[in-house]
Amino acid sequence: MWKMAFSPRYLIATLVTTCLYVINTATADDFHTNPLSFADDFQANCLSLMPELYIHNSTRTVLEYVPAGTNLTFPDNVASCSRPSQVVSSDICRLALSIPTSNRSSITFEAWLPRDWTGRFLGTGNGGIDGCIRYEDLAYGTSQGFATVGSNNGHNGTTAIAMLNNLDVTIDYAWRSLHTMVTSGKTLTKKFYHQSPSKSYYIGCSLGGRQGIKAAEIFPHDFDGIVAGAPAVNFNNLISWRASFFPITGSVNSSNFITTSQWETLIHDEILKQCDGLDGVLDGIIEDPTICDFRPEEIMCPSSTNATNCLTPTQVEMVRRIFSPFYGEDGQLIYPAMQPGSEMYAIQKLYAGAPFSYSDDWFKYVVYSDPNWNASNFNLKDAAASEALNPGDIRTWPSSLATFQSTGGKIISFHGQQDNQITSFNTPRFYDRLLRGMQKTTSELDEFFRFFRISGMYHCNSGPGAWVIGQGGDASAEGIPFAPENNVLAALVAWVENGTAPDTITGTKFKNDDPTQGISFQRSHCRYPLRNRFLGGNFSQPESWACLPMGTIAS
């Protein structure tokens, strides 16, 4: 009988090739249909992936299978990003690449691909002037079955020094990093699951909100749905508005400097006294600060006394300037006023008696390329210079998003009404700009763009109000269901995939902001231009409030 002999090396190679073929031809449906038989195959499929083969000129830095419950550590992460570790709540395939964007710039890219994939893709944004991956948002996305990606936005850490004399790094920060991240992420998602994502989403706040709007403006096919919180749109003028506060407040050593104690007690208490009850209930929350006409002269010291629990005339004028719109040399509005109610946290940065770091860096390293630029000398000419330069086309102030709408895309924007870093008055201004530019009524604009004002929320999260709306990877998000009525990302999914547009987003306030202690109260936040008004009863219950047109008095 004739026999063919095979070497052991040949037999092993054949076995490995066959196994890899089975793994790599398995689809996402196979994993869902028979998860037990594919339990080990998911890990093997992950570890056999070679992502650098599919992303041009990229270099792999991480490839690992991460089981649910792992506390991932990031020893190479820049300390200023304050993200040394992240707990992962689902089995994922984690991969990271360095991807060049020019001959002098690159991005750090991460993709977290969950075992229990829903077919959806999620891009995540950044914040401030940061080059920090938001690992908490990667964990949040994968916990809900999204193939989730993030990047360092073209530089590492929390300063803009990498942009000094390097426009390519600024371009990455402005728009290119996000687009590169999305196209790379979709390619690798398809390679891993052997099918393209069914829908593509984005979530970001602050700078991340601006990134989402910019993507809709110049890459309208990147996302089917975008969550854009507290969007830092009209970016150049935002930077100048923030820079304008230091010359107003002076340094902490100046004779008329308003202290933290004065802001937190004297001024904030007077603001609540004048404006808290305008919504119909005294609950420590200004539901709509646009109708709060704060009069700081009410707490001005009488000229004939030596009272201390009051403000000097100079300080009163300082407060009035802080709560006034910022105009240019030509009399045109640069940026709206800061809204009353934000002072509790704004004292930490904007009114701290020191340059606002993001603005200081932007003028030093981007606008003037001069590390010796002095923020105390900021003036209107600097604001004009920044807007005229518009480095990397970062402005992000479109008057139309018609192309994005034509693709079927949807945007949900939200803004905390006690935002301490970006005035909440700018997002209604942006909404109204789209109304005019696209020549639409509010009902027509609401067909693809809806904006929700979140009372009692500071910058992107936290605050005395019902601020938990599923806006990212904060631990509080774990305390609410992934449901359209409670979660802004779930609401976006329902709108994109089912055509169910949200009329309200119900926010949650946990006791001491700790979900394990239970719910303190909830409130349904209205879509602009409707305004929340107390009807009576228990103000902690959503049904005690109604969304009414501006000027309407609740009966």
Side-chain angles (χ1 to χ4, degrees):
M1 185 176 182
W2 179 81
K3 297 181 180 179
M4 182 176 290
F6 297 101
S7 70
R9 179 177 297 177
Y10 176 84
L11 291 172
I12 292 172
T14 302
L15 178 62
V16 170
T17 300
T18 302
C19 289
L20 289 178
Y21 174 80
V22 172
I23 291 168
N24 287 316
T25 55
T27 68
D29 290 336
D30 294 324
F31 289 102
H32 290 282
T33 303
N34 193 1
L36 291 177
S37 66
F38 280 91
D40 293 334
D41 289 350
F42 178 84
Q43 179 176 355
N45 195 25
C46 172
L47 298 179
S48 67
L49 187 67
M50 301 182 72
E52 65 273 19
L53 296 183
Y54 309 113
I55 307 302
H56 178 68
N57 212 23
S58 65
T59 302
R60 186 206 306 181
T61 56
V62 175
L63 179 64
E64 61 179 339
Y65 166 73
V66 183
T70 299
N71 185 17
L72 273 176
T73 58
F74 312 109
D76 297 329
N77 199 23
V78 176
S80 63
C81 288
S82 301
R83 289 174 174 87
S85 64
Q86 177 63 51
V87 175
V88 179
S89 60
S90 56
D91 293 350
I92 64 168
C93 179
R94 178 195 176 205
L95 59 93
L97 299 172
S98 175
I99 306 175
T101 53
S102 75
N103 61 2
R104 57 176 183 170
S105 60
S106 65
I107 69 167
T108 297
F109 162 93
E110 288 225 14
W112 290 16
L113 308 175
R115 179 194 300 277
D116 297 322
W117 186 46
T118 60
R120 300 181 181 119
F121 177 88
L122 180 67
T124 63
N126 303 90
I129 209 159
D130 294 358
C132 299
I133 296 174
R134 293 181 56 85
Y135 292 106
E136 64 271 30
D137 288 349
L138 295 179
Y140 174 56
T142 51
S143 72
Q144 299 302 329
F146 293 82
T148 310
V149 297
S151 84
N152 72 339
N153 215 23
H155 67 287
N156 293 319
T158 56
T159 77
I161 193 168
M163 302 181 202
L164 179 63
N165 299 318
N166 192 332
L167 180 59
D168 278 300
V169 176
T170 304
I171 291 171
D172 284 347
Y173 175 78
W175 57 265
R176 186 168 55 192
S177 176
L178 179 62
H179 182 61
T180 302
M181 178 192 82
V182 172
T183 55
S184 300
K186 288 181 178 179
T187 295
L188 294 172
T189 297
K190 182 177 182 180
K191 290 296 181 182
F192 185 69
Y193 294 110
H194 303 286
Q195 63 185 68
S196 297
S198 57
K199 295 294 180 182
S200 177
Y201 298 93
Y202 173 84
I203 190 167
C205 191
S206 190
L207 176 78
R210 183 203 66 79
Q211 289 173 290
I213 299 298
K214 191 67 174 179
E217 179 187 8
I218 65 174
F219 298 110
H221 297 280
D222 275 4
F223 300 108
D224 299 293
I226 292 169
V227 174
V233 292
N234 199 8
F235 184 84
N236 302 305
N237 287 333
L238 168 63
I239 287 288
S240 294
W241 174 77
R242 287 165 158 175
S244 72
F245 290 107
F246 182 43
I248 295 174
T249 66
S251 69
V252 292
N253 298 320
S254 58
S255 59
N256 288 295
F257 181 73
I258 301 175
T259 66
T260 298
S261 176
Q262 288 174 302
W263 278 111
E264 291 181 345
T265 55
L266 177 63
I267 299 173
H268 182 67
D269 289 351
E270 181 63 25
I271 286 173
L272 290 181
K273 178 182 176 181
Q274 293 184 26
C275 300
D276 183 15
L278 295 175
D279 52 26
V281 64
L282 296 173
D283 59 354
I285 298 169
I286 301 172
E287 196 68 28
D288 183 359
T290 65
I291 58 175
C292 175
D293 183 17
F294 176 55
R295 300 177 304 280
E297 61 271 18
E298 295 293 327
I299 48 175
M300 185 166 65
C301 300
S303 58
S304 59
T305 69
N306 293 320
T308 56
N309 193 31
C310 54
L311 299 179
T312 68
T314 300
Q315 289 175 322
V316 167
E317 180 58 27
M318 189 182 301
V319 172
R320 186 177 286 112
R321 288 181 64 192
I322 284 173
F323 289 125
S324 295
F326 184 43
Y327 290 99
E329 291 182 312
D330 57 0
Q332 296 298 307
L333 180 68
I334 293 177
Y335 225 71
M338 174 59 92
Q339 79 282 343
S342 58
E343 53 282 340
M344 293 289 286
Y345 272 27
I347 183 59
Q348 296 179 2
K349 289 189 175 181
L350 289 180
Y351 317 153
F356 188 79
S357 60
Y358 304 160
S359 298
D360 193 37
D361 274 16
W362 191 255
F363 280 100
K364 283 180 176 178
Y365 304 126
V366 180
V367 176
Y368 293 131
S369 298
D370 178 9
N372 295 315
W373 180 78
N374 189 342
S376 65
N377 296 326
F378 171 84
N379 57 45
L380 294 177
K381 294 187 184 300
D382 297 313
S386 176
E387 174 66 356
L389 184 63
N390 189 28
D393 190 27
I394 198 170
R395 179 180 294 113
T396 317
W397 193 231
S399 59
S400 175
L401 294 173
T403 304
F404 179 75
Q405 183 187 16
S406 72
T407 69
K410 311 294 184 188
I411 297 175
I412 295 178
S413 186
F414 66 88
H415 206 141
Q417 298 303 285
Q418 290 183 218
D419 194 311
N420 50 291
Q421 291 195 33
I422 302 176
T423 173
S424 65
F425 294 163
N426 195 54
T427 307
R429 178 175 169 239
F430 177 52
Y431 181 96
D432 294 343
R433 178 177 173 83
L434 290 176
L435 276 181
R436 295 189 302 271
M438 300 180 73
Q439 298 182 340
K440 291 182 178 295
T441 64
T442 55
S443 60
E444 290 171 338
L445 188 62
D446 284 355
E447 291 175 1
F448 87 101
F449 186 105
R450 295 198 171 199
F451 164 47
F452 295 85
R453 297 188 289 176
I454 314 300
S455 59
M457 179 195 282
Y458 294 140
H459 187 57
C460 295
N461 55 54
S462 70
W467 62 269
V468 179
I469 57 172
Q471 63 267 52
D474 185 277
S476 296
E478 300 174 3
I480 62 171
F482 191 76
E485 59 271 21
N486 300 96
N487 185 295
V488 68
L489 181 58
L492 182 67
V493 170
W495 193 9
V496 169
E497 298 181 14
N498 303 326
T500 307
D503 283 326
T504 61
I505 300 290
T506 299
T508 300
K509 175 68 174 179
F510 292 107
K511 296 175 183 177
N512 298 314
D513 287 333
D514 181 359
T516 64
Q517 297 184 31
I519 294 175
S520 176
F521 66 93
Q522 292 183 309
R523 191 161 298 172
S524 295
H525 302 294
C526 306
R527 59 184 170 87
Y528 182 80
L530 300 179
R531 173 184 294 151
N532 229 348
R533 183 74 182 177
F534 182 59
L535 300 177
N538 185 348
F539 68 80
S540 68
Q541 299 300 317
E543 56 269 21
S544 298
W545 297 79
C547 295
L548 302 173
M550 292 185 180
T552 302
I553 300 176
S555 58

